[in-house]
Amino acid sequence: MSDVPERALVVMAHPDDADFACAGTVALWTGAGTEVVYLMVTDGEAGGDEITLDSSEIAAMRREEQRRAAAEVGVKDVRFLGYPDGRVVASLGLRRDVSRVIRQVRPQRVVIPSPERDWDSIAASHPDHMATGEAALNAVYPDARNPHAHRELLAEEGLTPWTVPEVWVAGGPKANHHSDITGVFDRKMAALASHESQIGDITELEPMLRQWMAANAAEAGLPEGTLAEVFQIVHTA
C-alpha cells in the first residue's frame, strides 16, 4: 500500500482522543490528499470536572469542539455513535455500528486505540478506549468484510462488504511505526486547543507533549529535534 491512502477512518472513544493520539499524522495524510473520517463512539458527556451542565449540554459542546479540532487538521467528516461515555463495551451492537461506517467509508486504513491494557501507564488504558479498540478491530476483521456478519447492513442498507488491509493501533504494545509530525506539530496543538472544556491551559500542555513526542522520536533513532507519533501497524489482508 502507498504511504498515503485514498481514504482513512479514525475510530476513537471520546472527543479529543484522536487529537492526542494521531492528529499530527492525520494532518500529514490530509495534506497529501487523503480523505479522513473521524468516528467517535461517545459524545464525551462524562469528561471534565464541570458539573453545572447536564449531560446533553456537555455532549453538544464536546461534539462541536471535536468538529473544530478536526477542521484544524483537514478533517471535514466527523461522526458520533452516541454510546454512553464511561460505559462502552465491545458489544455486537458496537461492532455492527463500526462495521456500518467501514462499509460506508471503505477506507484503506483504520486507526484505533489499543484494545490492550498498558500496565506501565494505567491512565492510558481507559476502559472505553480498550473496548473501542476491541470492537473496532473485530469490525475490521471479520465483520466488515463478511457478508454473513450483521446481515441487515447488506440486506436492508445495501452496504456491501469491505476489506480493510491495514490497521494502525495508537498506543499498541509493539510499536513498529514512528510518524514524523515535526512539521505539523502546531496543527496538532491547534486541534487540542479546540477542546476548551477539557484543556484549561494549552500552554501548560505543549511542553509535556513536546517531551512525549521527542521521546517517541528518540526511541526510533530519529534526529534530535524530531517529534513523532507512535503506532503499531497491523496488516489484515
Side-chain angles (χ1 to χ4, degrees), residues 208-229:
M208 182 183 72
L209 279 178
R210 281 189 177 275
Q211 184 177 14
W212 175 24
M213 303 290 111
N216 289 342
E219 288 176 1
L222 297 175
E224 186 174 353
T226 303
L227 304 173
E229 291 173 340

Side-chain angles (χ1 to χ4, degrees), residues 117-173:
R117 189 176 300 279
D118 183 349
W119 293 105
D120 294 323
S121 178
I122 200 70
S125 301
H126 190 292
D128 283 359
H129 297 178
M130 293 188 293
T132 294
E134 180 70 18
L137 190 58
N138 290 337
V140 168
Y141 179 84
D143 295 0
R145 68 183 67 188
N146 184 354
H148 301 285
H150 316 297
R151 288 192 175 200
E152 65 272 24
L153 295 180
L154 179 59
E156 300 173 15
E157 302 179 40
L159 295 172
T160 55
W162 177 258
T163 296
V164 178
E166 214 173 71
V167 174
W168 286 36
V169 182

